[in-house]
Amino acid sequence: MRSVLLVVLVGCKSAGPVPSDTDPVTDTQSDLVDADGDGFSPPADCDDADPAIHPGAVEVWYDGVDTDCDGADDYDQDGDGDRPQSAGGLDCDDTDPTVTAATDTCTCGNGVLEPGEACDGPSTATWSCDADCAGPCGDGVAAPGEICLRSLQSGPGSEIRGLIDVTGDGVRDLLVYDGGLVVRVGAGDGTFPVVEVLPPDFAQGNSAVGDFDGDGRPDLLMSVAPHGTAVVSRDSTGAWAAAPAITPTVGHLAAADFDSDGDLDFIVSESTGSWESLSGVLHLFLGDAQGFTAAGTVQLDGSGIFPVPPADRDLDGRPETVVSWSGFSASGQEVVRVDNGALVTAPFVGPSVFGAFSADLDQDGCEDVVFGNVRRFRPCGAAFATGPTFQIPAAGAFLSAGGDFDGDGDVDLFGSDASGDPAVWHADGGAFTRVPLPLSEYNWVATGDVDGQGSDAIALGSVSGTFRIARWDP
């Protein structure tokens, strides 16, 4: 048996040439590389171009850099799995691992929703704080302006793509970006503990949800450059795989049964031309049992085409969408539907629908279109392009989503007020009451019932890389 003796020299200078390392048993090529001269080689050195980054270095917390190469979350100093409030999390003391979202109640009345609190706000006449949301300081009476927002889960992720069932079990799942688009599988209690990743080539880009392959289970339609637009399906084990691309065209998506034959179809937008002559094309693909067939295009006078979710708003038995486009010197919007197997458009009279969403605000059975400048289009049973508008009493607000947050059957609205502060406009018989929210940051939002409690939760994503799921307590 041959023994190998390893001798480590520390802090010694050689007076002569250094012999080459000829022992193939103990060394690899990476052992011989130290590009930044800090004494550490990859893979232990996670950045071999920066001598300040290496194992054993003093960690600088919250700068997004893993200085000591230990692989830990740079926004979780105490390693308890909860980020601090400054990083979008719920940890009140990020230097003490015993203080977590599950164990600490922080400070009631400081205007920040914290672990263990269902509501919070400044201790003034217009706000109240109560740990169980029963009223100001437990008096059992719901106080005007009381915030009853219970945090169900937070975690890494930024852009929220939807709260929708994509696994086919009847429970809403969370589509969120975390390096790429991932599916956080809903457990039915407001948490999303299991993370499923998409194929790398189709983990970016635009998406739509529906049963595109006709197997009775939801799929994702992904449109990703340079791979094109393809169906990404999930098997019974939770693995996702992409089918061959349907088209090389990449853009925003709108999916519905546009020709009313029982199979899902989709429209994908394409931007063309130079900056001075921007234009756009809508491509229609009709689905059937054999797959998808290209069924024509429509040219628009601008690019940057953003569709509103399709719905049959004029009660003609066919879904339609509205798209906004912008050109070098003009912008506009068009109503888009399929007639006799071909795309047709009509001018949409009203403000830009960029950032718009759909909600049945007046509970008449027809989806209304809510615009960022708070104008509401109500076309139920009327001509879609000429229906009336209604000004929601929230001057200067930018609305992002709708849902029945308080469980009273009315559609409430979420967005930013004229000052840019997050707020909810609670609806009651057509009247809206603004309630400010103690949220420091949000950039993306989706809503839906995630725990069967009869009210819609709200999913908030931020550019800081943290998402939050919250629900208003009744």
Short mmCIF file of all heavy atoms in Angstrom, two decimals, residues 36 140 167 176 230 307 314 381 391 406:
data_model
loop_
_atom_site.label_atom_id
_atom_site.label_comp_id
_atom_site.label_asym_id
_atom_site.label_seq_id
_atom_site.Cartn_x
_atom_site.Cartn_y
_atom_site.Cartn_z
N ASP A 36 -7.30 35.51 -8.90
CA ASP A 36 -7.27 36.79 -8.19
C ASP A 36 -6.23 36.84 -7.07
O ASP A 36 -6.11 37.84 -6.36
CB ASP A 36 -8.65 37.14 -7.63
CG ASP A 36 -9.20 36.06 -6.71
OD1 ASP A 36 -8.43 35.16 -6.33
OD2 ASP A 36 -10.40 36.13 -6.38
N GLY A 140 -63.82 44.38 19.76
CA GLY A 140 -64.83 43.58 19.09
C GLY A 140 -65.62 44.33 18.03
O GLY A 140 -66.57 43.78 17.48
N THR A 167 -51.74 23.09 -11.83
CA THR A 167 -51.43 21.68 -11.59
C THR A 167 -52.66 20.79 -11.69
O THR A 167 -52.55 19.57 -11.60
CB THR A 167 -50.80 21.49 -10.20
OG1 THR A 167 -51.68 22.01 -9.20
CG2 THR A 167 -49.47 22.23 -10.12
N VAL A 176 -44.38 32.76 -10.37
CA VAL A 176 -43.54 33.87 -9.93
C VAL A 176 -42.13 33.67 -10.49
O VAL A 176 -41.67 32.54 -10.68
CB VAL A 176 -43.51 33.95 -8.39
CG1 VAL A 176 -42.95 32.68 -7.78
CG2 VAL A 176 -42.73 35.16 -7.90
N ALA A 230 -44.34 27.97 -27.43
CA ALA A 230 -44.53 26.52 -27.30
C ALA A 230 -45.38 26.22 -26.07
O ALA A 230 -45.47 27.02 -25.14
CB ALA A 230 -43.18 25.81 -27.19
N PRO A 307 -52.32 42.99 -24.62
CA PRO A 307 -53.74 42.61 -24.65
C PRO A 307 -54.36 42.54 -23.26
O PRO A 307 -53.71 42.20 -22.28
CB PRO A 307 -53.72 41.22 -25.29
CG PRO A 307 -52.40 40.66 -24.86
CD PRO A 307 -51.44 41.83 -24.75
N ASP A 314 -69.49 41.62 -24.82
CA ASP A 314 -70.66 42.17 -25.51
C ASP A 314 -71.75 41.13 -25.72
O ASP A 314 -72.74 41.39 -26.42
CB ASP A 314 -70.24 42.79 -26.85
CG ASP A 314 -69.54 41.79 -27.76
OD1 ASP A 314 -69.43 40.61 -27.39
OD2 ASP A 314 -69.10 42.21 -28.84
N GLY A 381 -73.71 43.73 -22.96
CA GLY A 381 -74.85 43.74 -23.86
C GLY A 381 -74.86 44.89 -24.84
O GLY A 381 -75.78 45.02 -25.65
N GLN A 391 -66.22 56.83 -14.03
CA GLN A 391 -65.06 57.28 -13.28
C GLN A 391 -65.17 56.79 -11.84
O GLN A 391 -66.05 57.21 -11.09
CB GLN A 391 -64.97 58.81 -13.29
CG GLN A 391 -63.75 59.36 -12.58
CD GLN A 391 -62.49 59.14 -13.37
OE1 GLN A 391 -62.48 59.20 -14.59
NE2 GLN A 391 -61.40 58.85 -12.69
N ASP A 406 -62.70 41.45 1.11
CA ASP A 406 -63.34 41.37 2.42
C ASP A 406 -64.48 40.37 2.48
O ASP A 406 -65.18 40.26 3.47
CB ASP A 406 -63.84 42.74 2.87
CG ASP A 406 -64.71 43.42 1.81
OD1 ASP A 406 -65.09 42.75 0.82
OD2 ASP A 406 -65.00 44.62 1.96
#
